[in-house]
Amino acid sequence: MSGKPPRNLSVKGALVCVILLVMPVRSLAAPHSSRHSQTSTLPANPQVRGALDWLAANISWVNGVQARLTAIPAPPFQEVARAAAVKPLLAEAGLSVEIDKAGNVIGELRGVNEKEIIIVAAHLDTVFPAGTDVKVHREGTRMSAPGISDNGAGLAALLALARAMHSAHLKPQRTVLFVADVGEEGEGNLRGMRALVEAYRARLKAVVVLDGSGTDHVTTKALASRRLEALITGPGGHSWSDFGMPNPINALVRGSVRFINTKVPATPRTTFNIGQMEGGTSVNSVPHEARLKVDIRSESEDELARLEAALRESIAAGVRDEMESARDRSKGKLEWKVELLGSRPGGELKADSALLAALRAADDFVGNQSRVERSSTDANIPLSLGIDAIAIGAGGSGGGAHSLQEWYDSAGRELGLKRALLTVLGISGITEEKSR
């Protein structure tokens, strides 16, 4: 039967359509806009302004702390002395401080909500071995020393943020842990951050990593990597009387040449690096062992697996070629193995995360623009587990990272410190100061 529907049914149908159209938009848009508005209004808070003013007025103090801590050697697995120097500095910022079993220095600023935690972290260790001269040379705003930027800049910023919040009597909504952590560099395998995430995972809402200098980037994507060691052993002997016996170093060189000829794609970006080779006891001895250490990185887990397999195949081929070339095999043969020294997992921050919104709001306030990038940092661990995390520079500029010529220039540091502070407060929230 044809005809128009009753008017009241037509109105009801229209209302239902409107409701259905509006509901998903409201449910998705409201939380994000609310977070952004709360973060963008932070600088209007008198206490936040006080903390920002403290940073602006104490740049020389921050520079001094950076120089002092950088001058304390902190090779991989030997961060104890530097940790001991950081502990009282965190305590002076009004924090409850402890050093955990891993060696991390943890300063707690309790929030109204103690069931939710934000970690702000900067790693203690450097890539430089014991005995490296880490004396800091200063000329104007420029400082130079191994580790001055990575991660002297991050450690100084960590302490500056804690001091600024303490000076302004800021009380966060969520508990904030200021952590100087161990094991970020070399073969540390992110052991400090692994321990932190394991201990606080049930309550951990976000991690902000302060690593190096600069404000032009924010790491939201974790670059996966593996560190491997190849070891070749043999009987060893005298360079003259035992000439022609299988030589582990020869085999290692043969295998290394094969490996470095491995093709890697530009996309997904993939790299490898032979960082260390060692072996032998003297120039006139056939060595009894030789080893190398390799770092492989890729945006693809499949490429990592392919490169690791290529290394194993290359070392096996190098041993085989050396054995076939040996004149005298009667005194023994070569043995080989490739072992995993460490593995850093990948991960990625969601584009609509509250943490990234807080960072963007901070950028807006200080007039900064930053690009999203992929890198290997302490943020790898939380990101791999689905926990919001970013790594950012602490301001200023630097160069020569991981070299003896490393340098840092504090010009522009204030912007970086303010950016970091507002990001942390944006994700931790603050409690309004009660009138006295």
Side-chain angles (χ1 to χ4, degrees), residues 86-107:
V86 169
K87 184 178 180 181
L89 291 171
L90 284 175
E92 289 170 10
L95 306 178
S96 173
V97 187
E98 66 171 356
I99 297 181
D100 68 9
K101 292 180 179 179
N104 299 314
V105 188
I106 305 171

Side-chain angles (χ1 to χ4, degrees), residues 100-254:
D100 68 9
K101 292 180 179 179
N104 299 314
V105 188
I106 305 171
E108 181 185 44
L109 177 59
R110 289 188 180 180
V112 175
N113 182 0
E114 296 183 30
K115 294 182 180 180
E116 295 186 348
I117 286 175
I118 305 299
I119 288 178
V120 187
H123 68 85
L124 285 161
D125 56 326
T126 72
V127 299
F128 304 99
T132 302
D133 183 0
V134 291
K135 182 179 179 181
V136 178
H137 300 275
R138 303 180 69 167
E139 185 176 348
T141 59
R142 186 183 174 103
M143 296 183 278
S144 60
I148 189 68
S149 181
D150 183 12
N151 193 31
L155 284 174
L158 178 78
L159 293 163
L161 300 193
R163 282 291 184 100
M165 290 178 68
H166 177 64
S167 174
H169 307 289
L170 277 166
K171 176 79 170 179
Q173 285 286 343
R174 291 167 162 166
T175 292
V176 179
L177 300 182
F178 294 88
V179 183
D181 65 291
V182 298
E184 197 275 342
E185 298 285 14
E187 295 171 31
N189 203 30
L190 308 182
R191 72 183 194 282
M193 184 56 70
R194 290 178 194 271
L196 290 167
V197 172
E198 181 179 354
Y200 299 105
R201 184 173 179 180
R203 295 184 287 161
L204 188 56
K205 297 304 176 183
V207 179
V208 177
V209 173
L210 303 171
D211 198 343
S213 62
T215 57
D216 59 346
H217 69 279
V218 50
T219 298
T220 63
K221 303 174 184 179
L223 176 62
S225 68
R226 297 179 191 175
R227 279 83 188 268
L228 303 132
E229 180 181 65
L231 173 66
I232 301 176
T233 58
H238 193 278
S239 63
W240 173 259
S241 59
D242 295 312
F243 176 73
M245 74 187 314
N247 185 314
I249 289 181
N250 289 355
L252 194 67
V253 171
R254 294 175 190 270

Side-chain angles (χ1 to χ4, degrees), residues 57-396:
N58 287 275
I59 295 299
S60 61
W61 179 87
V62 181
N63 292 343
V65 167
Q66 181 178 355
R68 173 186 164 191
L69 293 177
T70 301
I72 302 172
F77 301 97
Q78 299 179 50
E79 304 98 334
V80 174
R82 188 174 285 184
V86 169
K87 184 178 180 181
L89 291 171
L90 284 175
E92 289 170 10
L95 306 178
S96 173
V97 187
E98 66 171 356
I99 297 181
D100 68 9
K101 292 180 179 179
N104 299 314
V105 188
I106 305 171
E108 181 185 44
L109 177 59
R110 289 188 180 180
V112 175
N113 182 0
E114 296 183 30
K115 294 182 180 180
E116 295 186 348
I117 286 175
I118 305 299
I119 288 178
V120 187
H123 68 85
L124 285 161
D125 56 326
T126 72
V127 299
F128 304 99
T132 302
D133 183 0
V134 291
K135 182 179 179 181
V136 178
H137 300 275
R138 303 180 69 167
E139 185 176 348
T141 59
R142 186 183 174 103
M143 296 183 278
S144 60
I148 189 68
S149 181
D150 183 12
N151 193 31
L155 284 174
L158 178 78
L159 293 163
L161 300 193
R163 282 291 184 100
M165 290 178 68
H166 177 64
S167 174
H169 307 289
L170 277 166
K171 176 79 170 179
Q173 285 286 343
R174 291 167 162 166
T175 292
V176 179
L177 300 182
F178 294 88
V179 183
D181 65 291
V182 298
E184 197 275 342
E185 298 285 14
E187 295 171 31
N189 203 30
L190 308 182
R191 72 183 194 282
M193 184 56 70
R194 290 178 194 271
L196 290 167
V197 172
E198 181 179 354
Y200 299 105
R201 184 173 179 180
R203 295 184 287 161
L204 188 56
K205 297 304 176 183
V207 179
V208 177
V209 173
L210 303 171
D211 198 343
S213 62
T215 57
D216 59 346
H217 69 279
V218 50
T219 298
T220 63
K221 303 174 184 179
L223 176 62
S225 68
R226 297 179 191 175
R227 279 83 188 268
L228 303 132
E229 180 181 65
L231 173 66
I232 301 176
T233 58
H238 193 278
S239 63
W240 173 259
S241 59
D242 295 312
F243 176 73
M245 74 187 314
N247 185 314
I249 289 181
N250 289 355
L252 194 67
V253 171
R254 294 175 190 270
S256 298
V257 170
R258 282 177 175 264
F259 178 68
I260 63 176
N261 286 316
T262 303
K263 301 297 182 184
V264 295
T267 305
R269 187 181 176 191
T270 303
T271 66
F272 61 79
N273 180 65
I274 296 178
Q276 288 181 284
M277 295 184 72
E278 56 187 29
T281 55
S282 69
V283 69
N284 60 331
S285 300
V286 178
H288 66 275
E289 72 172 30
R291 67 182 71 217
L292 62 76
K293 294 179 181 179
V294 181
D295 173 272
I296 58 177
R297 305 183 184 214
S298 181
E299 297 173 343
S300 163
E301 287 288 344
D302 289 341
E303 284 299 316
L304 281 180
R306 186 181 70 85
L307 270 182
E308 182 175 346
L311 177 63
R312 295 180 187 278
E313 292 168 5
S314 297
I315 297 301
V319 169
R320 183 181 63 249
D321 291 349
E322 176 64 14
M323 288 297 298
E324 290 176 354
S325 300
R327 296 182 183 181
D328 183 2
R329 305 173 196 170
S330 63
K331 296 181 180 179
K333 63 179 183 178
L334 299 179
E335 303 287 347
W336 70 275
K337 62 180 179 180
V338 174
E339 294 187 328
L340 183 67
L341 297 175
S343 178
R344 298 187 177 202
E348 190 168 331
L349 182 68
K350 292 181 179 179
D352 64 347
S353 76
L355 178 56
L356 188 57
L359 183 280
R360 291 305 186 201
D363 271 341
D364 288 345
F365 176 75
V366 299
N368 184 61
Q369 290 185 339
S370 56
R371 67 182 184 277
V372 168
E373 69 173 29
R374 186 186 300 271
S375 188
S376 180
T377 69
D378 271 324
N380 281 46
I381 300 303
L383 284 174
S384 71
L385 298 172
I387 300 169
D388 282 7
I390 58 173
I392 57 176

